[in-house]
């Protein structure tokens, strides 16, 4: 569903991604682990077709489509670290706006709105102004808009950042249960997040990907594997 091959990205004199390669299959939830400034957001923006890499190759889906093409972008859902919400709209109005912007077909429009409202627990607030929502509901709404159109690839940048323990558990369950066949990339700097959500973990270090495996693999835990990988580079 996603392939990055030797991707490079530089901001001025700073090389953020130097030789990044990774692959993601259908049904996988890949944790992209790393400290702030390690290139997680840049990687997601390149994968979403929102930023052009300086080098390397990026493809989406079994047909290896270019994410910079508008048709390919419709198959990708993206949640930025700060979700682009419009406070003056109601929840339903906002989701309708996003669905139209994504080009959701007329015969799927009502069904898609109903699906994401139910999947992300927004029924009770569907008529409420976005500006009146709590942090937890705003994050649910951001996830719901990223899922509109039932994309085959979902890219989530720090999707549970700032949530309390109850909201955290609820949002994690929603991500896991929305569409188990979908490929998902979740960027985070929290070990607990990848252990709770992901089927596989990759760490970013020095602009490259360090494969850490699945959280439930036998042997050392993700933290020990992460530290060992850093020591070996």
């Amino acid at each position: 569903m996603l392939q990055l091959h030797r991707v490079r990205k530089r901001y001025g004199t700073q090389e953020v991604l130097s030789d990044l390669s990774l692959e993601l299959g259908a049904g996988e939830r890949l944790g992209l682990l790393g400290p702030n400034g390690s290139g997680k957001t840049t990687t997601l923006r390149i994968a979403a077709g929102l930023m052009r890499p300086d080098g390397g190759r990026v493809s989406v889906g079994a047909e290896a489509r270019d994410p910079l093409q508008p048709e390919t972008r419709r198959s990708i859902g993206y949640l930025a670290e700060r979700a682009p919400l419009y406070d003056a709209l109601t929840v339903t109005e906002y989701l309708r706006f996003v669905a139209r912007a994504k080009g959701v077909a007329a015969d799927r429009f009502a069904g898609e709105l109903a699906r994401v409202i139910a999947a992300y627990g927004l029924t009770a607030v569907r008529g409420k102004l976005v500006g009146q929502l709590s942090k937890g509901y705003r994050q649910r709404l951001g996830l719901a808009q990223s899922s509109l159109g039932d994309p085959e690839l979902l890219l989530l940048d720090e999707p549970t950042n700032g949530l309390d323990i109850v909201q955290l558990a609820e949002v994690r369950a929603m991500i896991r249960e929305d569409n188990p066949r979908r490929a998902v990339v979740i960027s985070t700097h929290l070990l607990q997040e990848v252990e709770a959500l992901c089927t596989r973990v990759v760490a970013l270090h020095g602009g490259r990907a360090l494969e850490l495996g699945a959280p439930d693999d036998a042997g050392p835990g993700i933290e020990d594997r992460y530290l060992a990988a850093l020591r070996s580079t």
Side-chain angles (χ1 to χ4, degrees), residues 4 16 20 40-41 58 64 82 84 86 91 93 116 120 129 132-133 146 150 166 175 177 191 195 201:
L4 285 80
V16 178
L20 176 65
K40 301 188 301 296
T41 294
V58 184
R82 295 183 180 179
Y86 299 121
V91 167
E93 287 170 342
V116 299
Y120 290 97
L129 289 174
Q132 297 173 340
L133 297 180
S146 71
D150 201 17
V166 174
I175 294 170
E177 296 167 8
L191 286 164
E195 290 171 341
V201 184

Side-chain angles (χ1 to χ4, degrees), residues 85-121:
L85 305 179
Y86 299 121
D87 290 350
L89 300 180
T90 67
V91 167
T92 300
E93 287 170 342
Y94 172 72
L95 290 173
R96 283 177 181 155
F97 167 77
V98 174
R100 289 193 182 98
K102 286 188 172 185
V104 174
D107 60 346
R108 297 179 57 206
F109 203 89
E112 271 299 287
L113 289 181
R115 181 185 69 82
V116 299
I117 285 171
Y120 290 97

Side-chain angles (χ1 to χ4, degrees), residues 161-174:
N161 193 27
L163 300 183
D164 65 36
I165 190 167
V166 174
Q167 295 166 340
L168 192 63
E170 291 173 343
V171 167
R172 284 174 177 171
M174 291 168 185

Side-chain angles (χ1 to χ4, degrees), residues 137-153:
Y137 273 114
R138 290 177 71 87
Q139 202 66 7
R140 291 187 193 192
L141 181 57
L143 286 162
Q145 66 79 26
S146 71
S147 180
L148 275 168
D150 201 17
E152 60 186 2
L153 173 64

Side-chain angles (χ1 to χ4, degrees), residues 33-52:
L33 184 66
N36 293 334
S38 60
K40 301 188 301 296
T41 294
T42 297
T43 300
L44 292 191
R45 289 179 64 81
I46 288 173
L50 300 175
M51 179 182 290
R52 188 181 297 274

